Amino acid sequence: MPVDNKFVIVAPMDYIIEYYSEAVQEEILSLPDSLAARYVILTRRITAVGPNLGSPHTEAFGDGLFELRLKGQEGIARVFFCALLGRRVMMLHSFVKKTQKTPSRQLEVARKRMKEVKHADS
């Protein structure tokens, strides 16, 4: 009697990109062209493989806060995000980088928003 071996390939469910607010989404999508294009490429990768793309694309800031590192002809931008339950990635804040170090004010905004969404998600 022949044995019928069947293999089932189950593709993992994609991650979902969400935005803290419409203003954050508009801010990100209104970045200069090469930075916005880089954002689209990297977020497509995030939806496929998850939020930890590793250096040089993402950097951890601790406590679940990460930055997406965008570099293009027009300069450098950062988008802060965190991962939430249910394979969701929340984009929290973005800015065009003008100095070597991430400004503390930008980091404070991202941390505050992350606290809000994580508290609401629990």
Side-chain angles (χ1 to χ4, degrees), residues 55-70:
S55 186
H57 308 301
T58 58
E59 186 73 29
F61 271 76
D63 297 324
L65 182 66
F66 295 88
E67 73 172 0
L68 193 58
R69 305 170 69 131
L70 311 174

Side-chain angles (χ1 to χ4, degrees), residues 9-114:
I9 298 173
V10 179
M13 187 174 83
D14 287 345
Y15 282 80
I16 298 167
I17 303 290
E18 298 179 0
Y19 296 88
Y20 176 79
S21 65
E22 280 186 42
V24 168
Q25 184 175 14
E26 289 170 14
E27 185 178 276
I28 292 169
L29 297 178
S30 67
L31 287 168
D33 289 346
S34 68
L35 297 172
R38 192 74 187 135
Y39 173 79
V40 170
I41 290 166
L42 292 177
T43 53
R44 282 183 183 165
R45 191 175 298 171
I46 287 173
T47 60
V49 300
N52 187 6
L53 300 180
S55 186
H57 308 301
T58 58
E59 186 73 29
F61 271 76
D63 297 324
L65 182 66
F66 295 88
E67 73 172 0
L68 193 58
R69 305 170 69 131
L70 311 174
K71 190 173 183 181
Q73 287 179 322
E74 297 94 349
I76 297 171
R78 300 291 189 251
V79 179
F80 286 106
F81 68 92
C82 64
L84 301 173
L85 295 174
R87 299 174 77 86
R88 296 163 34 226
V89 175
M90 178 70 69
M91 299 299 168
L92 302 166
H93 180 60
S94 70
F95 68 100
V96 174
K97 198 166 179 187
K98 296 179 179 160
T99 61
Q100 184 71 20
K101 189 173 182 199
T102 298
S104 58
R105 175 71 186 121
Q106 304 294 347
L107 193 52
E108 287 171 25
V109 169
R111 287 192 192 285
K112 180 180 176 242
R113 290 178 178 178
M114 182 179 72

